[in-house]
């Protein structure tokens, strides 16, 4: 039995259900490469391997939704050659991983501002989404050119357009209305957000959706991440007492 397929046993012997939605800020590729004295691009390549492992493990653990932060709206500020390496790798992943994703029952969606990418990349995204449309075992969102603030601003702009067109009464806009205009419309909020590499910040990830997410920061660099690390994070998640502002006792 692989590490990922072992049930998560608590002290009482019960197996609590896996968190429904896990978000991961996949950080530390550059430091992983620097520690080995190899180019950053190799760190990103090793990070893509870790992503493959984690998608597999998440499916085996019964997680239904996985949102992976792969490229932020601020990552465009990196040197042009790194942006080129990263987008090239992402495009390669989208093209060559689709068969594996279909085999694993994964439905892939991209959240973020895809219009920031060139037409080739946009076509690759659409192809991958269309090819995995019918899968239901595991939903994987890849956050590309994604920023939480930009996502909320886009939703606000869409609502303003609807209001000006007379399609919506501004007085009726509530949290649910705004949530329906986010890239994550119709998806559950993340129960658990993991960040690797030891940094303790969200860096603009799922700012609206994280209101009551449990946050877990693991020191491991993303290219070293494996099923065991994911199991540790889920075990820690199960030790948390989620109150959502109410009282449990
Ligand atoms: C995460 O690794 C990948 C992206 C942000 C695209 P980094 O490239 O941020 O690696 P570090 O944080 O510099 O180690
Ligand atoms: C967050 O990591 C974005 C991704 C993991 C894709 P960064 O490395 O870009 O974040 P900062 O700059 O350390 O906050
Ligand atoms: Mg980083």
């Amino acid at each position: 039995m692989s590490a990922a397929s072992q049930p998560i046993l608590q002290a009482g012997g019960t197996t609590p259900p896996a968190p429904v939605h896990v978000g991961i800020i996949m950080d530390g590729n550059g430091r992983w490469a620097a520690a080995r004295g190899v180019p950053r691009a190799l760190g990103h390549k090793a990070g893509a391997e870790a992503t493959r492992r984690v998608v597999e493990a998440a499916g085996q653990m019964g997680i239904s939704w996985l949102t992976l932060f792969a490229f932020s709206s601020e990552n465009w500020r990196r040197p042009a050659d790194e942006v080129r390496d990263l987008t090239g790798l992402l495009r390669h992943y989208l093209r060559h991983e689709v068969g594996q994703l279909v085999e694993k029952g994964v439905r892939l969606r991209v959240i973020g501002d895809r219009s920031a990418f060139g037409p080739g990349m946009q076509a690759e995204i659409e192809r991958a989404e269309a090819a995995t449309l019918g899968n239901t075992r595991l939903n994987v969102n890849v956050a590309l050119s994604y920023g939480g603030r930009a996502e909320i601003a886009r939703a606000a702009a869409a609502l303003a357009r609807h209001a000006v067109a007379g399609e919506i009464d501004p007085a009726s806009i509530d949290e649910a209305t705004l949530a329906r205009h986010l890239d994550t419309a119709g998806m559950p909020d993340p129960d658990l957000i993991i960040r690797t590499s030891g940094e303790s910040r969200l860096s603009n990830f799922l700012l609206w959706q994280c209101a009551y997410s449990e946050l877990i920061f693991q020191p491991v660099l993303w290219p070293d991440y494996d099923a065991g690390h994911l199991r540790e994070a889920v075990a820690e998640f199960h030790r948390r007492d989620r109150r959502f502002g109410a009282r449990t006792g």
Side-chain angles (χ1 to χ4, degrees):
M1 188 183 267
S2 76
S5 60
Q6 288 165 20
I8 303 149
L9 279 179
Q10 298 289 92
T14 55
T15 307
V20 172
H21 185 174
V22 176
I24 308 185
I25 303 170
M26 310 184 292
D27 197 19
N29 296 351
R31 279 163 282 174
W32 185 92
R36 281 161 183 74
V38 298
R40 287 180 72 88
L42 286 187
H44 295 312
K45 206 155 174 272
E49 295 293 329
T51 306
R52 205 171 279 132
R53 287 195 292 275
V54 166
V55 168
E56 172 76 25
Q60 289 182 7
M61 288 168 71
I63 291 166
S64 303
W65 292 84
L66 190 63
T67 298
L68 302 168
F69 203 7
F71 191 88
S72 78
S73 45
E74 289 74 35
N75 287 149
W76 293 109
R77 296 176 186 158
R78 294 193 180 191
D81 59 342
E82 182 169 2
V83 169
R84 206 169 34 243
D85 287 345
L86 271 166
T87 49
L89 192 65
L90 289 163
R91 196 167 160 176
H92 185 270
Y93 182 89
L94 286 170
R95 173 170 290 245
H96 295 280
E97 217 56 29
V98 167
Q100 283 290 314
L101 294 176
V102 170
E103 249 172 55
K104 290 180 191 147
V106 172
R107 177 169 181 184
L108 185 130
R109 274 175 275 219
V110 168
I111 61 170
D113 178 16
R114 67 180 69 183
S115 73
F117 295 102
M121 176 72 166
Q122 289 186 42
E124 210 65 74
I125 291 170
E126 277 164 30
R127 245 197 305 275
E129 287 181 330
T132 63
L133 190 66
N135 301 332
T136 55
R137 180 165 167 260
L138 170 64
N139 292 284
V140 174
N141 298 323
V142 184
L144 295 182
S145 191
Y146 175 87
R149 286 185 172 184
E151 180 191 34
I152 294 166
R154 270 188 275 118
L159 286 172
R161 280 195 302 275
H162 291 313
V164 167
E167 296 157 2
I168 188 169
D169 173 6
S172 73
I173 296 173
D174 60 10
E175 292 180 18
T177 322
L178 196 130
R180 278 198 298 276
H181 289 80
L182 297 172
D183 298 349
T184 53
M187 304 176 189
D189 285 341
D191 301 290
L192 165 61
I193 292 179
I194 296 166
R195 183 174 186 143
T196 61
S197 89
E199 307 294 355
S200 305
R201 57 176 171 266
L202 288 171
S203 301
N204 210 3
F205 186 52
L206 299 179
L207 294 186
W208 173 277
Q209 300 87 341
C210 76
Y212 272 100
S213 304
E214 295 299 325
L215 307 179
I216 292 183
F217 301 100
Q218 294 179 289
V220 55
L221 301 173
W222 180 248
D224 291 326
Y225 206 83
D226 62 20
H229 296 109
L230 183 61
R231 286 168 50 77
E232 277 169 27
V234 170
E236 165 63 18
F237 168 81
H238 284 304
R239 289 192 287 271
R240 302 275 178 94
D241 180 17
R242 302 183 80 193
R243 292 186 288 274
F244 300 97
R247 287 177 51 184
T248 49

